[in-house]
């Protein structure tokens, strides 16, 4: 655990203390830092700017937390404290504010240095100082649950960064088993042979070219009779070369991150267990590696999915929807979910539509879509809904098969969603998050370095807490 955040009684800490301060606009005279997160020393006192009062939001505090963590690492301040009083005095709602600040601190300290000769990580400790802490037990709870949540995001980031010569469908399954044992989740794997017997011809086909065949990795939390679980399904392509519809040199690089959806589901399940959420939750990782060999699946192949529908392969690079198709059928049949949510780096087209700021949301259920939208606004893991009008189906209507796995260039993200919907019963509330645009930070962000972002973990946890 490289950073710990703790609530402490004000006055009981005598190390370096940061005093948050609203920007005054009179910088030249007072030396008060202006930009939120900026830290300056004034007469031996450390001041961290909250920025302008009217612009202070939870997201600002999250970014300030990130700045503090980076400042600590940079100046080797291993232990410091932040006064909460000036933040609470602004009138901002205390619990979400402290939650956001804590998240920022933990997230801002993330580094992927596992494979570096010289490690960059340091063990940091931050005390949040408040008066009458004993009366503030809810604040303490907010710090604790925000830490667990942000640690889960960092776990998702770390696993996403792992290279494909280390993480493959087999090794990720082993790891999921270890984590399940550690945190008290039930673990089950359905291997390719079993999947084949179940008729899951789509997910099996995608992994045919790999030395490590496809599988479903399943984690369960708090399942109980008579209560429908929320089921989260993650696209887990430990590498996506494109298969015979091979990606070019430029596009193949970074495709280790095609497992992000699964890593987000896995990490969210760890947090769900650590937070002891009351809601029953199931996480399913649809794991495969999309490779080339004489055994690999081909364009023109016609596959039969677990729900009996036949799929003509137009592009072996539209593999995510194939692994998800069978995972969704499995999820529906096994669990009768109260909500079924998949998360996937599914289409490059989503970053054309929404850029790097919002993930795509497609859903057959307005209530579920609204809840996810609101959790997105609250956590700043923002989503935007795209339509699923039946007319779009024309694009993937099959000729020799029921459906095609690709429908050309138009409306790529919607077509991806439309394809998945063919594997969903009308009465099951379902949502699909296309996070291809949020797969990695292309440059350093306020509380995330370049690389895997773990986008979706905080969104899922907020949604699950809200329905608990
Ligand atoms: N994993 C990719 C999507 C992707 C692309 C994620 C770029 C992140 C960055 C996915 O499997 C894919 O290749 N999708 C195709 C779909 C097409 C063949 C219908 C795409 O987006 O081009
Ligand atoms: Mn692909
Ligand atoms: Zn892919």
């Amino acid at each position: 655990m490289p950073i710990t955040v703790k609530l402490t009684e004000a006055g009981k800490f005598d190390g370096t203390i940061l005093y948050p301060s609203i920007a005054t606009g009179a910088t030249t005279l007072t030396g008060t830092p202006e930009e939120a997160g900026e830290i300056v020393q004034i007469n031996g006192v450390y001041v961290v700017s909250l920025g302008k009062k009217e612009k202070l939001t939870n997201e600002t505090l999250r970014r300030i937390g990130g700045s503090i963590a980076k400042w600590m690492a940079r100046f080797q301040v291993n232990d410091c404290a932040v006064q909460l009083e000036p933040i609470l005095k602004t009138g901002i709602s205390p619990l979400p504010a402290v939650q956001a600040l804590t998240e920022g601190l933990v997230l801002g300290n993330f580094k992927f240095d596992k494979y570096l000769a010289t490690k960059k990580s340091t063990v940091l400790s931050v005390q949040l100082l408040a008066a009458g802490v004993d009366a503030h037990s809810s604040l303490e709870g907010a710090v604790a649950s925000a830490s667990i949540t942000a640690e889960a995001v960092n776990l998702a980031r770390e696993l996403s960064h792992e290279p494909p010569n280390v993480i493959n469908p087999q090794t990720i399954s082993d790891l999921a088993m270890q984590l399940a044992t550690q945190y008290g989740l039930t673990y089950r794997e359905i291997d390719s042979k079993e999947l084949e017997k179940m008729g899951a011809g789509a997910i099996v086909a995608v992994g045919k070219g790999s030395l490590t065949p496809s599988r479903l990795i399943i984690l369960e939390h708090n399942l109980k009779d008579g209560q429908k679980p929320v089921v989260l399904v993650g696209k887990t392509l430990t590498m996506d070369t494109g298969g015979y519809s091979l990606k070019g040199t430029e596009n193949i690089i970074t495709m280790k991150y095609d497992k992000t959806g699964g890593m987000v589901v896995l990490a969210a399940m760890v947090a769900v267990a650590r937070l002891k959420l009351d809601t029953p939750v199931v996480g399913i990782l649809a794991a495969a590696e999309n490779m080339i060999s004489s055994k690999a699946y081909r364009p023109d192949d016609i596959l039969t999915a677990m729900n009996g529908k036949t799929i003509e392969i137009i592009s072996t690079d539209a593999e995510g929807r194939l692994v998800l198709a069978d995972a969704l059928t499995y999820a529906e049949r096994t669990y009768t979910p109260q909500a079924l949510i998949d998360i996937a780096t599914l289409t490059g087209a989503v970053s054309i539509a929404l850029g790097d700021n919002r993930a795509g949301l497609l859903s057959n259920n307005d209530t579920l879509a609204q809840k996810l939208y609101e959790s997105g606004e609250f956590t700043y893991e923002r989503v935007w809904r795209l339509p699923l009008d039946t007319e779009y189906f024309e694009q993937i209507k099959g000729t020799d098969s029921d459906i095609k796995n690709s429908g050309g260039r138009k409306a790529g993200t919607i077509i991806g969603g439309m394809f998945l919907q063919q594997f969903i019963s009308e009465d099951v509330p379902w949502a699909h998050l296309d996070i291809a645009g949020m797969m990695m930070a292309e440059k350093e962000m306020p509380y995330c370095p370049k690389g895997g972002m773990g986008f979706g973990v905080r969104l899922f946890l907020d949604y699950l807490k809200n329905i608990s």
Side-chain angles (χ1 to χ4, degrees), residues 235 237 239-242 247 255 257-259 290 316-321 344-347 439:
K235 170 178 171 181
L237 264 286
M239 181 62 193
D240 178 13
T241 66
K247 289 182 184 291
M255 277 304 137
Y257 288 114
D258 212 19
K259 60 184 176 300
N290 192 13
T316 58
D317 199 11
E319 84 299 334
R321 59 200 72 187
T345 48
L346 207 73
T347 65
M439 178 173 89

Side-chain angles (χ1 to χ4, degrees), residues 79-283:
D79 192 359
C80 80
V82 180
Q83 277 288 1
L84 283 184
E85 224 46 54
I87 296 172
L88 304 180
K89 261 202 234 147
T90 63
I92 197 164
S93 179
L95 290 181
V98 168
Q99 178 186 345
L101 181 66
T102 306
E103 285 175 1
L105 286 163
V106 177
L107 296 172
N109 191 44
F110 174 78
K111 288 169 196 84
F112 186 71
D113 60 3
K114 194 173 161 188
Y115 297 98
L116 300 183
T118 317
K119 305 291 180 223
K120 296 194 221 159
S121 294
T122 37
V123 180
L124 305 178
S125 149
V126 180
Q127 327 270 326
L128 303 179
L129 305 179
V133 164
D134 291 343
H136 277 325
S137 65
S138 56
L139 276 190
E140 207 152 15
V143 173
S145 77
S147 296
I148 289 174
T149 302
E151 281 162 19
V153 177
N154 287 348
L155 172 66
R157 289 174 176 179
E158 183 172 321
L159 295 176
S160 303
H161 271 270
E162 286 282 2
N165 58 327
V166 173
I167 292 274
N168 58 49
Q170 175 68 58
T171 54
I172 195 60
S173 186
D174 296 344
L175 212 116
M177 181 165 68
Q178 268 177 37
L179 289 167
T181 311
Q182 188 177 346
Y183 294 106
L185 295 156
T186 65
Y187 156 93
R188 186 164 71 255
E189 179 191 90
I190 304 183
D191 68 18
S192 252
K193 278 199 194 113
E194 230 174 308
L195 284 169
E196 206 159 334
K197 276 191 219 140
M198 296 164 88
I203 185 170
V204 170
V206 172
K208 278 276 171 72
S210 170
L211 283 174
T212 35
S214 307
R215 67 206 67 202
L216 290 178
I217 301 158
I218 302 164
L219 300 166
E220 295 170 347
H221 166 79
N222 211 16
L223 274 200
K224 36 197 169 189
D225 285 341
Q227 215 183 322
K228 294 175 168 182
V230 172
V231 182
L232 308 175
V233 178
K235 170 178 171 181
T236 313
L237 264 286
T238 59
M239 181 62 193
D240 178 13
T241 66
Y244 277 96
S245 312
L246 189 61
K247 289 182 184 291
T249 316
E250 304 281 291
N251 295 327
I252 208 165
I253 191 89
T254 71
M255 277 304 137
K256 67 173 183 180
Y257 288 114
D258 212 19
K259 60 184 176 300
T260 300
M263 302 307 93
V264 165
V265 168
L266 176 56
M269 291 307 294
V270 166
V272 160
R274 291 184 69 194
L275 294 166
K276 302 191 171 63
L277 290 197
D278 191 47
T279 309
V281 188
V282 179

Side-chain angles (χ1 to χ4, degrees), residues 383-436:
V383 299
W384 199 257
R385 193 173 178 185
L386 296 170
L388 285 170
D389 302 297
T390 49
E391 286 84 352
Y392 286 109
F393 183 71
E394 275 309 305
Q395 275 176 252
I396 46 167
K397 197 169 178 324
T399 40
D400 293 350
S401 65
D402 297 325
I403 31 179
K404 304 188 286 189
N405 80 328
S406 170
R409 278 167 46 81
K410 285 185 184 171
T413 303
I414 295 171
I415 297 305
M418 210 65 207
F419 181 95
L420 295 177
Q421 200 179 16
Q422 306 311 307
F423 302 87
I424 302 290
S425 304
E426 257 170 54
D427 57 343
V428 176
W430 158 75
H432 159 58
L433 296 170
D434 191 334
I435 57 162

Side-chain angles (χ1 to χ4, degrees), residues 358 370-383 459 462:
R358 284 184 185 267
Q370 183 62 23
K371 284 182 180 160
L372 290 170
Y373 172 79
E374 280 164 15
S375 288
E377 297 304 301
F378 180 73
T379 58
Y380 220 66
E381 291 191 327
R382 294 164 298 170
V383 299
L459 173 82
D462 184 69

Side-chain angles (χ1 to χ4, degrees), residues 334-349:
T334 315
Y335 296 105
T336 347
Q338 57 166 292
L340 175 54
I341 310 170
D342 73 76
I343 180 161
T345 48
L346 207 73
T347 65

